[in-house]
Amino acid sequence: MVFVTGDLHGNFERFKPKYFPEQARMTKQDIMICAGDFGGVWFGDSRDDETLDWLERLPFTLAFVCGNHENYDALERYPVAEWHGGKVHRIRPHVLHLMRGQIFELEGYRFFTMGGAKSHDTDHRINHISWWRQELPSDEEYSEALQNLDRCGWQVDYVITHCAPTSIARMESRHNEADRLTDFLQKIRDKTDYHYWLFGHYHDNRMIDARHILLWEQIVQIC
């Protein structure tokens, strides 16, 4: 089984059995995907260990794309591994960062991942302390995303991102500006053949239309 949820911001209450009873029938073969702003790798030292060890003890595998509220310096210190056909940072054996521009084969479905988003309050934040420039993809990550989509003929089943394509982002009441990443995602939307696109960032639980799903606290099973 594959489930998807929205922004966590380091608060993992929703994964407790009383809020997510479905986990009673899950194993490490089942996957929970967070659509960005994971926040579990925040201090970059032993202060993260208690939370990450608790997440590792959950009965399922937790995977996440990055958001704009992540400690990228800390994330990048974790080893890169291959997992289901794509690259991940392995935080714990079953806590994984799904890197940008990757395509993963899960339960017979293709998942394209492209984390990141632009923060709108950087005037009040400090780079490498409360904000990281790596919140937006590098040229190399954009290029790798295009290469991987070319390789699969621009056909995937699911797209998992943190922010939305520009046409959707501009519809939202918060973070409703276009930027390089939303424009890139718009090109992906226009060219790629996919079934569903799930994203977070805008702090709401809503179906935009039949194929685009905005998640925050809600957990949905997609396969």
Side-chain angles (χ1 to χ4, degrees):
M1 296 180 288
V2 179
F3 292 80
V4 184
T5 190
D7 306 22
L8 291 163
H9 294 284
N11 183 346
F12 303 104
E13 285 284 313
R14 76 188 69 169
F15 297 147
K16 290 184 175 179
K18 64 180 178 179
Y19 301 119
F20 183 53
E22 293 88 342
Q23 65 188 283
R25 55 191 177 91
M26 295 174 74
T27 73
K28 291 295 190 183
Q29 300 302 310
D30 300 309
I31 301 161
M32 174 73 68
I33 300 176
C34 166
D37 281 357
F38 168 66
V41 178
W42 186 253
F43 299 103
D45 56 32
S46 59
R47 288 174 290 178
D48 292 328
D49 288 346
E50 182 178 357
T51 295
L52 293 172
D53 291 343
W54 182 82
L55 293 173
E56 175 62 24
R57 290 193 297 271
L58 291 171
F60 49 85
T61 293
L62 176 60
F64 64 95
V65 299
C66 48
N68 53 306
H69 296 300
E70 315 281 5
N71 183 335
Y72 282 92
D73 295 335
L75 271 181
E76 291 165 4
R77 289 197 291 269
Y78 283 94
V80 176
E82 184 175 329
W83 182 76
H84 290 275
K87 293 191 297 188
V88 299
H89 282 117
R90 193 174 290 279
I91 313 302
R92 291 291 187 274
H94 300 93
V95 180
L96 309 168
H97 169 222
L98 306 175
M99 296 175 68
R100 291 168 173 154
Q102 303 301 303
I103 295 176
F104 300 93
E105 298 272 352
L106 305 174
E107 300 298 322
Y109 297 97
R110 286 178 179 159
F111 287 71
F112 172 73
T113 59
M114 195 72 187
K118 182 179 179 181
S119 292
H120 295 265
D121 57 355
T122 55
D123 290 344
H124 308 290
R125 295 178 179 270
I126 301 171
N127 191 28
H128 300 297
I129 296 178
S130 57
W131 168 72
W132 285 262
R133 293 186 187 278
Q134 303 100 301
E135 66 181 20
L136 289 175
S138 65
D139 290 343
E140 291 76 16
E141 288 170 320
Y142 284 122
S143 177
E144 185 169 1
L146 296 175
Q147 291 172 17
N148 285 333
L149 286 168
D150 270 336
R151 198 170 292 121
C152 72
W154 294 79
Q155 293 184 331
V156 299
D157 297 289
Y158 295 95
V159 178
I160 309 290
T161 62
H162 185 52
C163 63
T166 295
S167 59
I168 295 175
R170 284 181 167 159
M171 295 167 52
E172 297 305 313
S173 59
R174 67 194 304 272
H175 307 327
N176 56 357
E177 298 176 7
D179 55 59
R180 184 184 180 188
L181 178 54
T182 66
D183 287 346
F184 178 82
L185 296 177
Q186 185 66 42
K187 293 177 183 178
I188 301 299
R189 179 185 180 182
D190 293 343
K191 187 172 181 178
T192 306
D193 180 12
Y194 61 92
H195 296 305
Y196 295 100
W197 188 313
L198 298 99
F199 58 98
H201 191 47
Y202 305 97
H203 289 193
D204 200 359
N205 301 289
R206 191 169 81 252
M207 287 192 68
I208 305 299
D209 56 37
R211 294 203 301 164
H212 301 88
I213 303 170
L214 165 58
L215 293 173
W216 188 11
E217 300 110 334
Q218 189 175 1
I219 298 173
V220 297
Q221 182 177 355
I222 59 173
C223 58

